[in-house]
Amino acid sequence: MTNHPESKSPVEAAQAKPLAKVLEQSRQAKDIVAACAEELSSVNTVLKDELAGQNQPSGLEEALEKNESIECEVQAVDDHLSAVNHALEIEADLRQRLEQQLVTVTHEKAVADHAAVHDPLTGLPNRALFDDRLKHEIAQVERQGVTLAVMFMDLDGFKKINDTHGHDVGDAVLKIVAERLKQATREGDTVSRQGGDEFVYLMMGIAGDRDTIPLAEKILNSIQEPCQFSIGELIIKLSIGISIYPKDGTTGPDLIKSADKAMYEAKQKKSGYAFAH
């Protein structure tokens, strides 16, 4: 899910809530104190008027003095609360801006992390991410009691497409191929663009060579469905080389090298796919 700078995570919202609550409570307290100060002032005015009409001082004078003293104290509290509320508002505004900056930085980091391991044109995992996943899966296969296959795929005649129709059409072809590979391959496996018109597919959890054939044929059929471009209809074809762990290699580089060699055999024979041997 994409985050936006104006959004807040549940944790950030929970952290901001106590300060907002304190600020609201402080504002309510200030309103109460201000109302009390106003009421005291009104009472004191009445008492002064009452004393002004008396010839002899009475206990009212002493009460008035106390009330005026209390009025001053309440007013001082009101002023103090105003200062506190102002400081809280500044703090709340600062926290909100910091949280927005944190969300922005977190989002930018996620985008940068994704870009570091994905092909910018097709959005597929790049060579670095594929190699890391292949290395990880090789370490897992013996524990799982199954094996894995690597398919090295190269488009047929891609240079001619670029030379004849231009790189914009070539890029559009690569994007279509990437999308079709994602749709044709299994969820949980990894399909990667290695560069140029080369793609590599990691097929996990297979029992042997025969398990790869239906998927290789599905990929070939999917890719060569006619495509409509601004220059007209194109039919894209590719060749696939298949290597199996551990008979064709026990490391990632060895498996990729074996599959690459088998791909060239498939291209020369125009057989669609070929196994390493």
Side-chain angles (χ1 to χ4, degrees), residues 36-48:
C36 290
E38 184 178 350
E39 187 173 349
L40 271 173
S41 178
S42 176
V43 169
N44 288 342
T45 299
V46 172
L47 287 174
K48 286 177 183 178

Side-chain angles (χ1 to χ4, degrees), residues 86-229:
H86 181 64
L88 285 172
E89 287 169 356
I90 293 174
E91 176 68 19
D93 180 66
L94 177 61
R95 178 175 291 188
Q96 184 178 23
R97 284 188 281 117
L98 287 174
E99 287 170 354
Q100 290 174 344
Q101 290 173 7
L102 177 61
V103 170
T104 300
V105 169
T106 302
H107 173 65
E108 289 175 350
K109 183 180 183 302
V111 170
D113 289 346
H114 183 274
V117 292
H118 287 80
D119 173 54
L121 178 65
T122 64
L124 292 176
N126 63 15
R127 185 191 299 267
L129 181 54
F130 182 86
D131 290 349
D132 183 69
R133 289 185 180 174
L134 178 54
K135 181 179 179 181
H136 177 266
E137 290 305 320
I138 288 174
Q140 300 293 319
V141 289
E142 292 186 2
R143 296 180 221 168
Q144 297 169 349
V146 292
T147 190
L148 58 81
V150 171
M151 295 186 184
F152 197 103
M153 297 170 278
D154 184 89
L155 302 187
D156 297 338
F158 183 70
K159 184 177 184 302
K160 184 178 179 181
I161 292 175
N162 266 336
D163 293 344
T164 304
H165 304 295
H167 290 284
D168 287 345
V169 173
D171 287 348
V173 167
L174 293 173
K175 289 179 181 179
I176 288 176
V177 169
E179 188 59 36
R180 289 182 176 182
L181 285 175
K182 285 191 288 187
Q183 293 175 359
T185 52
R186 306 178 310 174
E187 186 176 356
D189 289 347
T190 301
V191 60
S192 162
R193 182 187 177 206
Q194 296 286 290
D197 61 330
E198 295 178 340
F199 298 83
V200 182
Y201 173 47
L202 171 59
M203 185 179 181
M204 300 178 295
I206 64 169
D209 298 18
R210 303 299 301 178
D211 286 356
T212 65
I213 294 175
L215 191 52
E217 292 176 343
K218 180 180 179 182
I219 290 171
L220 290 170
N221 292 332
S222 174
I223 296 301
Q224 63 188 16
E225 285 289 326
C227 305
Q228 293 296 329
F229 296 95

Side-chain angles (χ1 to χ4, degrees), residues 30 33-34 37 40 68-84:
K30 182 190 178 306
V33 170
L40 271 173
E68 288 177 338
S69 175
I70 293 172
E71 181 185 350
C72 290
E73 292 178 4
V74 171
Q75 188 59 53
V77 172
D78 184 40
D79 293 342
H80 177 69
L81 279 173
S82 294
V84 169

Side-chain angles (χ1 to χ4, degrees), residues 242-258:
I242 307 170
S243 62
I244 309 293
Y245 176 88
K247 73 180 185 67
D248 300 318
T250 56
T251 68
D254 286 345
L255 287 167
I256 293 173
K257 184 178 179 180
S258 296

Side-chain angles (χ1 to χ4, degrees), residues 225-236:
E225 285 289 326
C227 305
Q228 293 296 329
F229 296 95
S230 57
I231 48 85
E233 183 179 274
L234 287 179
I235 295 178
I236 308 165

Side-chain angles (χ1 to χ4, degrees), residues 256-275:
I256 293 173
K257 184 178 179 180
S258 296
D260 186 13
K261 185 177 178 181
M263 181 273 297
Y264 277 106
E265 181 181 333
K267 194 178 287 285
Q268 290 170 355
K269 294 181 177 179
K270 301 186 184 306
S271 58
Y273 67 87
F275 286 95

